Amino acid sequence: MRVTLLQHDLVWKDPEANVRCFDLAIDRNPGSDVYVFPEMFSTGFITQPRGCAETDDSETLRWMIRKSRQADAALAGSVAVESNGRYYNRFYFVKPDGEVVTYDKSHLFVYGGEGLYYSAGSERVITEFRGVRILLEICYDLRFPMWCRNQIGTDGKAVYDMIIYCAEWPLARKLAWDTLIRARAIENQCFVAACNRVGKDDWGEYFGGSALVHPYGHLLTEEEESGSECELTGEIDMEQLERYRTKFPTLNDILWKKDYC
């Protein structure tokens, strides 16, 4: 599977401008199976969503559906959404056949004010696309390893093969990002596709650091210049992943009661 991470600056509260940017970025990088955007890619990270959040049937989502079909690829990123009188930081994973899989961010960033207006999701979401099982996560979720813990399912296989993180992670906590995206890949024996924004807003500065991470912890993509806008593409090899899991089956050795109770 070919994955492209679209690491760009965001125009504050301007969905039209941001969608146009990502539309062109996809056109510049044809042939990928999945394109990943940063968190709240249509507006920037808005903690006061009233008047700014999009609807369940927003033009941003309609564009994702059209573009997914046009590119014959899945599009993945989160949007601030108002639904049934509540606000959600909602991850959309849109497939070329028109299927829209959603995940509402579970761990709201209370430190930054996200918990004041948004409602937290309560369900972990895994979707399958082109033979890869994918766990959908948003930014602050990265800090909670039990929430994304991989395990062996009833079919005898790991319940997922890749985690996608869309994020607006600030420069001040760069070391945590660099460390945790590798840790999540290593401990869960999976690939990690982590897309962070660059640029500045009223809340701070963003450094990028987007990466496709191998289950061993090394990077399959690399920025040409730290903190710059770029589009990063890498390949994940499922056969290699299965060989690794068979040779070194740590997921079989998880002792749930001992480890987590």
Side-chain angles (χ1 to χ4, degrees):
M1 175 177 280
R2 188 175 175 88
V3 180
T4 294
L5 310 172
L6 303 177
Q7 176 175 294
H8 282 271
D9 195 358
L10 303 176
V11 182
W12 184 247
K13 297 181 181 179
D14 192 340
E16 184 177 348
N18 290 314
V19 164
R20 184 166 57 248
C21 168
F22 289 109
D23 189 275
L24 294 172
I26 292 171
D27 289 346
R28 285 193 297 269
N29 297 270
S32 285
D33 296 288
V34 180
Y35 295 90
V36 186
F37 311 139
E39 180 182 18
M40 292 195 192
F41 72 90
S42 66
T43 58
F45 187 67
I46 50 174
T47 56
Q48 298 183 26
R50 185 169 300 168
C52 304
E54 303 191 39
T55 64
D56 287 321
D57 187 31
S58 68
E59 177 54 36
T60 296
L61 178 56
R62 291 196 293 270
W63 166 77
M64 292 180 77
I65 294 170
R66 292 194 305 271
K67 195 66 178 180
S68 175
R69 186 178 301 112
Q70 175 190 328
D72 189 30
L75 272 56
S78 90
V79 175
V81 173
E82 182 178 4
S83 179
N84 297 320
R86 291 175 176 265
Y87 297 105
Y88 299 94
N89 186 345
R90 180 162 292 171
F91 195 129
Y92 287 128
F93 188 91
V94 180
K95 303 178 184 181
D97 63 1
E99 180 185 1
V100 178
V101 180
T102 64
Y103 160 67
D104 293 331
K105 187 178 183 180
S106 173
H107 297 92
L108 300 177
F109 190 47
V110 175
Y111 178 82
E114 188 179 18
L116 294 176
Y117 296 98
Y118 290 87
S119 296
S122 60
E123 295 185 8
R124 203 169 78 152
V125 176
I126 297 171
T127 187
E128 185 168 352
F129 184 64
R130 294 181 178 168
V132 180
R133 301 181 189 187
I134 303 170
L135 175 66
L136 309 181
E137 301 275 74
I138 303 174
C139 202
Y140 194 46
D141 286 329
L142 179 63
R143 288 184 176 270
F144 300 90
M146 287 187 291
W147 176 248
C148 66
R149 194 66 173 106
N150 210 349
Q151 59 183 295
I152 300 299
T154 56
D155 62 357
K157 298 181 179 181
V159 296
Y160 67 80
D161 308 305
M162 180 168 68
I163 310 174
I164 294 179
Y165 288 101
C166 57
E168 291 205 29
W169 199 282
L171 178 61
R173 291 182 283 280
K174 181 179 185 300
L175 179 59
W177 170 269
D178 291 341
T179 302
L180 293 175
I181 60 173
R182 290 169 171 83
R184 298 296 86 87
I186 294 168
E187 70 196 6
N188 293 302
Q189 291 195 311
C190 71
F191 295 97
V192 167
C195 186
N196 189 32
R197 69 166 288 187
V198 293
K200 297 180 180 179
D201 60 19
D202 290 343
W203 300 105
E205 182 176 356
Y206 305 92
F207 65 96
S210 302
L212 186 61
V213 188
H214 188 277
Y216 287 171
H218 62 255
L219 303 186
L220 298 173
T221 57
E222 188 171 348
E223 296 175 87
E224 292 183 4
E225 181 181 353
S226 179
S228 63
E229 291 190 311
C230 60
E231 291 120 24
L232 305 166
T233 298
E235 301 266 357
I236 69 170
D237 186 332
M238 287 297 297
E239 291 184 1
Q240 183 185 69
L241 176 61
E242 290 304 321
R243 288 196 300 271
Y244 171 48
R245 286 172 170 172
T246 300
K247 179 181 178 181
F248 191 58
T250 61
L251 296 179
N252 293 324
D253 298 330
I254 295 173
L255 303 176
W256 288 98
K257 185 174 182 180
K258 178 181 177 182
D259 290 350
Y260 299 120
C261 296

